[in-house]
């Protein structure tokens, strides 16, 4: 048991070290020059540019805007607003997580007004995976308000190719949208906590073994002391 718990502690410690190295790689990506549309499209493995800054130009496809439900920001429930951006001079389109709007608790279908500028726009942000998925009770959804957005299915729905990634638009609140996105965290502290728990359990097992198998039997075999008057 001591060997098992010690090995589990080492495993969590190694996972923390791996996460630290991954975080360093993410920080290095953030310091690279911002991607433009041709550089993004030319990327063979889209995962290589995740977390990189990007400055893109294109035209919003407002007709295909989707509101992802049950997405909190600053501790409040609401919607993430996702709109495809037709990149200037290249294909395919790119999904942009434009920001967050609050939810109307009296009427879920009532959405706050947002502004979508027409024509060519410049959008800055950082590259990210497609919007994260939540548990979905109703199966595949359609319409403006959805629980999740599958890139392949959405591409087939709108009849346009989409990159298997998204842009997390950054900057101050504008167009009726809040953009207080949390910084990506890999949970290194969690692995350190688990490691110390396993090491602590290992120390407890060793301590109990020493007490019950070595110290306590010797104390029982020791003859009682006699008092001489």
């Amino acid at each position: 048991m001591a060997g098992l718990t010690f090995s589990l502690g080492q495993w969590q410690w190694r996972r923390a070290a791996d996460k630290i190295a991954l975080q360093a790689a993410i920080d290095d990506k953030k310091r690279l020059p911002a991607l433009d549309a041709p550089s993004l499209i030319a990327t063979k493995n889209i995962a290589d540019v995740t977390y990189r800054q990007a400055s893109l130009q294109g035209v919003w496809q407002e007709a295909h805007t989707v509101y992802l439900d049950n997405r909190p920001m600053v501790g409040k429930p609401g919607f993430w607003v996702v709109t495809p951006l037709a990149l200037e001079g290249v294909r395919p389109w790119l999904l942009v997580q434009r920001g967050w709007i609050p939810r109307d608790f009296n009427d879920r279908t009532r959405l706050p007004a947002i502004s979508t500028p027409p024509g060519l726009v410049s959008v800055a942000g950082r590259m990210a995976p497609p919007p994260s998925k939540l548990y979905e009770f109703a199966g595949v959804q359609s319409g403006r308000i959805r629980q999740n957005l599958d890139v392949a299915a959405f591409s087939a729905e709108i009849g346009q190719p989409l990159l298997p990634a998204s842009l997390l638009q950054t900057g101050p609140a504008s167009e009726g949208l809040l953009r207080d996105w949390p910084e990506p965290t890999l949970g290194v502290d969690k692995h350190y906590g688990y490691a110390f728990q396993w090491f602590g359990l290992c120390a407890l097992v060793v301590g109990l073994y020493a007490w019950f198998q070595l110290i306590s039997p010797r104390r029982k075999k020791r003859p009682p002391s006699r008092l001489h008057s």
Side-chain angles (χ1 to χ4, degrees):
M1 182 59 68
L4 174 62
T5 52
F6 185 77
S7 297
L8 289 171
Q10 287 184 313
W11 171 59
Q12 289 292 341
W13 197 270
R14 288 193 298 269
R15 290 200 66 188
D18 292 340
K19 292 290 183 69
I20 290 174
L22 182 56
Q23 185 65 57
I26 291 174
D27 293 339
D28 289 340
K29 286 184 178 181
K30 292 179 181 179
R31 289 189 285 267
L32 293 173
L35 290 164
D36 58 13
S39 299
L40 176 61
I41 298 300
T43 302
K44 294 181 179 180
N45 185 3
I46 202 68
D48 292 340
V49 297
T50 302
Y51 304 114
R52 279 194 63 175
Q53 299 297 313
S55 180
L56 307 172
Q57 290 187 322
V59 178
W60 291 120
Q61 303 301 303
E62 195 276 334
H64 302 302
T65 294
V66 172
Y67 298 81
L68 298 182
D69 201 359
N70 298 313
R71 309 297 173 126
M73 187 170 285
V74 295
K76 298 178 181 179
F79 300 92
W80 288 355
V81 179
V82 181
T83 304
L85 182 70
L87 299 173
E88 183 184 23
V90 295
R91 293 184 71 188
W93 292 358
L94 175 66
L95 291 177
V96 179
Q97 300 184 58
R98 297 174 57 191
W100 175 90
I101 56 173
R103 177 177 179 176
D104 187 331
F105 287 97
N106 295 320
D107 184 358
R108 173 178 173 270
T109 62
R110 185 179 179 181
L111 299 170
I114 64 171
S115 173
T116 302
L120 190 66
V121 296
S122 295
V123 184
R126 67 172 182 262
M127 297 303 301
S132 58
K133 293 185 178 182
L134 304 179
Y135 186 81
E136 193 169 45
F137 292 97
V140 178
Q141 297 182 354
S142 59
R144 286 277 190 171
I145 298 177
R146 310 186 185 197
Q147 185 80 351
N148 295 305
L149 187 65
D150 181 81
V151 174
F154 191 57
S155 175
E157 177 184 333
I158 64 177
Q160 291 289 341
L162 293 169
L163 283 171
S166 70
L167 180 73
L168 205 67
Q169 186 175 358
T170 56
S174 64
E175 302 168 358
L177 298 163
L178 182 65
R179 301 187 182 94
D180 191 11
W181 305 107
E183 287 295 320
T185 176
L186 300 178
V188 175
D189 292 340
K190 175 184 67 177
H191 294 295
Y192 280 133
Y194 289 151
F196 283 121
Q197 288 179 10
W198 286 119
F199 287 142
L201 183 57
C202 176
L204 177 63
V205 170
V206 172
L208 291 175
Y209 177 85
W211 173 259
F212 287 106
Q213 300 297 324
L214 301 176
I215 299 174
S216 183
R218 291 183 181 180
R219 288 169 60 91
K220 291 179 180 179
K221 291 179 181 179
R222 184 181 303 170
S225 59
R226 296 181 179 178
L227 297 177
H228 300 281
S229 58

